[in-house]
Amino acid sequence: MEIPQSGYTTFYYSDQSFLLPEGMEAYTFRETSLGFDVSQHYTTAGTVLPAGQAVVLGAQPGRYTMLPTTKKKSLDSRNQLRGSDEDQLTRGGTFYYTLCENENHQMEWNWTATDGAVFKNPAHKAYLISTRSTKQSSILAELPSAVQAIQAVQTDSCSNSKAIYNLAGQQVKSQSSTTLYGLPRGIYIVDGKKVVR
């Protein structure tokens, strides 16, 4: 398993369980009334990642060995991640998202197809489904080592500001900085998007 520079990738096998490698974390996600939250967060090496459960894997960039196991574990019934063993069209939702890194080096769930429509998902990769009736072209995924929630993003297409603001509308970092490092935990507006730190 190759973890890219972003530190995150997705993973899915329908018929094989695996043991979580040392130094890697795994996450499942559930849809809530406010967006998406981490449903399960696995941090212990040797934890069983059950067959048929799509996950997001997080670790330092590099190659990791996913050890197959015959151990069984129940699936997270709230998980909104799906996958396939072959390149296959997405299914099971109203809108479909893939995990990617945005220009601010933040992980984000984005539409792959116009209007979040069905797309061809690569083999053994996961995608996020939404069963909502409202359109959102992206959902910010704040995934530091201490995982925060994935929050729904309402973007303002008129916003060109690169500064960081608090929820009171006060600028807390200059236009030349879009990193949250050094700021206390909370909700901020970055590039017109709500971000949880």
Side-chain angles (χ1 to χ4, degrees), residues 86-105:
E86 300 173 354
D87 291 358
Q88 190 175 59
L89 294 176
T90 55
R91 56 189 163 82
T94 307
F95 301 106
Y96 304 92
Y97 301 86
T98 55
L99 188 65
C100 62
E101 185 176 10
N102 68 21
E103 66 278 355
N104 295 322
H105 305 290

Side-chain angles (χ1 to χ4, degrees), residues 72-136:
K72 304 289 183 199
K73 184 175 182 177
S74 60
L75 299 175
D76 177 359
S77 62
R78 301 178 300 176
N79 190 14
Q80 295 293 102
L81 293 173
R82 303 291 186 267
S84 56
D85 292 319
E86 300 173 354
D87 291 358
Q88 190 175 59
L89 294 176
T90 55
R91 56 189 163 82
T94 307
F95 301 106
Y96 304 92
Y97 301 86
T98 55
L99 188 65
C100 62
E101 185 176 10
N102 68 21
E103 66 278 355
N104 295 322
H105 305 290
Q106 297 166 312
M107 298 310 294
E108 196 170 65
W109 295 101
N110 281 320
W111 287 348
T112 298
T114 304
D115 291 332
V118 170
F119 67 92
K120 187 177 266 189
N121 187 58
H124 303 297
K125 292 296 184 180
Y127 57 93
L128 182 69
I129 67 167
S130 174
T131 56
R132 295 171 186 242
S133 58
T134 55
K135 294 181 180 183
Q136 292 177 279

Side-chain angles (χ1 to χ4, degrees), residues 131-162:
T131 56
R132 295 171 186 242
S133 58
T134 55
K135 294 181 180 183
Q136 292 177 279
S137 62
S138 66
I139 301 170
L140 194 63
E142 185 75 12
L143 289 169
S145 59
V147 175
Q148 300 294 321
I150 291 181
Q151 299 293 325
V153 176
Q154 298 294 330
T155 60
D156 178 356
S157 59
C158 302
S159 174
N160 291 325
S161 175
K162 297 291 183 187

